[in-house]
Amino acid sequence: MMQRVMALAAMGRGCTTPNPLVGAVVARGSEVVGQGYHRRAGEPHAEIIALRQAGGAARGATLYTNLEPCCHVGRTPPCVQEIVRAGVRKVVASIRDPDPRVNGGGFRTLRSSGVRVEVGLMRREAEVLNRAFSKSVKAGLPFVTLKGAASLDGRIATPSGDSKWITSAEAREHARVLRREHDAVLVGIGTILADDPRLTVRPAHCRSLPLCRVVLDGSLRLPDGARVLSTLDQGPVLVFAGPRASRSRAENLEKRGATVERVPLSRGRLDLKRLLRSLAQRDINRLLVEGGGEIHASFLRQHLADRMVVYLAPRVIGGRDARSLVGGEGPRRLADAPRLERLVSYRVGPELVVEADLRK
């Protein structure tokens, strides 16, 4: 049953922020009498949908869910009250809700009302599913994924800057699907000047909040005619600038509809941790970084990235001056190089996609 719950919960990916991904199944023995998943913030929680579907059959049944049912009033009423009212005999949950407003309170309420509670089934899978939500409520930071496309030898462009296209149309479409699963996409001003991307989500998706486009632009070089500014109906554009960036330039960008926020510098560059805290305060739980080599290097050097997704094309660019997937100076010792774990690889068109977590 819990595998079914996980599959249901995953159907809300990219849609539920700032809420977690949750699925629920109401069962009598091996018979499923109700099921559901949380679709978007402000709509009924998974448990409520499953209980409504089950109706009277929920009395004496078992409710399976990947996350502790809520016990606080938010945009919707507490789920635990409805579970008790429906006469559910037992609740099987994977993990405790890391939100301090819940954090065991839902389980305590259920137990005090006579409902049996079991916790821990498919714990690891549940933790991975909601690690962005967990990081947001615990650390006040979004879960950061670095995404890149490179040749087999790790180059993202030739020495002249030519990069269109390293990967196939199939891989680029797959990358757009990856973008839809995030709350914001971030690039540097170098990417804007070189490629002039829209950074939009196609087609329209179910998210409760539109995709936020984030541009790191320390000195505010973003052109008035940039395509990202012509698609404000598809999501806000947030530009992070340095403390000394032109005030008149900032005012001009805001007249065009962008939001300009100044952040302090750290070692001569925009303070990424301060920037990430600002994004978390804007209800951004999952951030996709589509930057170039220097931005990737900055996130890695400051230990602010959680995951990497790399599309490797079946070609070799070579050349000492060709641009690398990760720039910067790099560590002097191999022991200091970032380590990856839980690596998964698969094919998309002619490309090899590698996904892995960064070891903390």
Side-chain angles (χ1 to χ4, degrees), residues 7-38:
L8 286 165
M11 292 174 67
R13 199 185 301 276
C15 307
T16 63
T17 295
N19 294 347
L21 297 168
V22 184
V25 169
V26 179
R28 302 182 67 88
S30 61
E31 179 189 5
V32 174
V33 295
Q35 64 180 18
Y37 70 97
H38 185 45

Side-chain angles (χ1 to χ4, degrees), residues 64-358:
Y64 296 84
T65 180
N66 58 298
L67 191 69
E68 174 184 4
C70 66
C71 59
H72 65 283
V73 177
R75 300 185 190 182
T76 57
C79 290
V80 290
Q81 294 180 2
E82 296 301 319
I83 293 171
V84 172
R85 188 176 294 119
V88 169
R89 177 180 60 87
K90 179 181 176 182
V91 170
V92 178
S94 298
I95 57 174
R96 175 182 290 191
D97 191 331
D99 189 329
R101 296 173 299 175
V102 185
N103 198 23
F107 293 148
R108 289 192 295 271
T109 300
L110 290 171
R111 288 181 174 124
S112 66
S113 300
V115 180
R116 290 176 55 196
V117 176
E118 292 183 5
V119 186
L121 184 61
M122 294 185 69
R123 179 186 301 275
R124 176 57 188 161
E125 293 84 348
E127 289 173 343
V128 170
L129 184 67
N130 271 312
R131 53 190 174 175
F133 173 75
S134 180
K135 185 179 179 184
S136 175
V137 297
K138 286 182 177 180
L141 296 170
F143 186 89
V144 177
T145 297
L146 305 183
K147 172 254 174 181
S151 60
L152 195 60
D153 57 334
R155 310 293 184 165
I156 61 174
T158 66
S160 68
D162 183 19
S163 62
K164 291 186 177 179
W165 295 101
I166 287 178
T167 55
S168 65
E170 296 97 321
R172 297 196 298 275
E173 178 57 32
H174 187 273
R176 284 191 284 268
V177 173
L178 178 68
R179 187 183 292 171
R180 289 204 300 266
E181 295 178 354
H182 290 74
D183 306 315
V185 56
L186 180 150
V187 298
I189 185 60
T191 297
I192 295 289
L193 296 177
D195 299 333
D196 195 19
R198 292 187 180 91
L199 301 176
T200 52
V201 171
R202 303 191 300 268
H205 199 40
C206 61
R207 63 181 66 253
S208 55
L209 296 172
L211 181 72
C212 180
R213 283 83 57 76
V214 181
V215 181
L216 304 192
D217 187 8
S219 55
L220 290 181
R221 293 184 291 154
L222 182 65
D224 290 346
R227 294 199 297 176
V228 73
L229 295 174
S230 67
T231 54
L232 290 169
D233 59 321
Q234 298 186 48
V237 173
L238 177 58
V239 182
F240 283 100
R244 296 185 179 180
S246 166
R247 181 176 299 177
S248 61
R249 185 72 194 123
E251 291 173 351
N252 185 60
L253 287 174
E254 291 192 327
K255 286 179 182 178
R256 295 188 60 82
T259 297
V260 177
E261 181 173 330
R262 296 178 187 273
V263 293
L265 301 180
S266 175
R267 297 184 180 180
R269 296 178 179 269
L270 297 179
D271 188 328
L272 292 182
K273 193 163 189 178
R274 181 74 67 89
L275 182 154
L276 290 178
R277 290 201 182 280
S278 177
L279 292 179
Q281 291 168 2
R282 297 170 185 268
D283 284 338
I284 291 172
N285 287 358
R286 294 172 62 90
L287 173 66
L288 182 66
V289 177
E290 295 187 5
E294 295 305 311
I295 288 181
H296 285 158
S298 295
F299 274 91
L300 290 169
R301 183 177 61 252
Q302 298 178 47
H303 306 287
L304 294 174
D306 301 285
R307 187 164 176 78
M308 291 191 73
V309 178
V310 180
Y311 295 80
L312 291 173
R315 66 175 74 201
V316 175
I317 293 177
R320 295 185 182 89
D321 298 325
R323 301 179 187 181
S324 300
L325 179 66
V326 179
E329 294 182 1
R332 291 184 175 275
R333 300 188 312 150
L334 186 59
D336 297 329
R339 296 289 299 274
L340 299 170
E341 58 188 6
R342 289 187 285 275
L343 187 145
V344 176
S345 62
Y346 52 92
R347 292 283 298 274
V348 172
E351 276 75 35
L352 178 67
V353 184
V354 179
E355 299 186 14
D357 294 340
L358 283 150

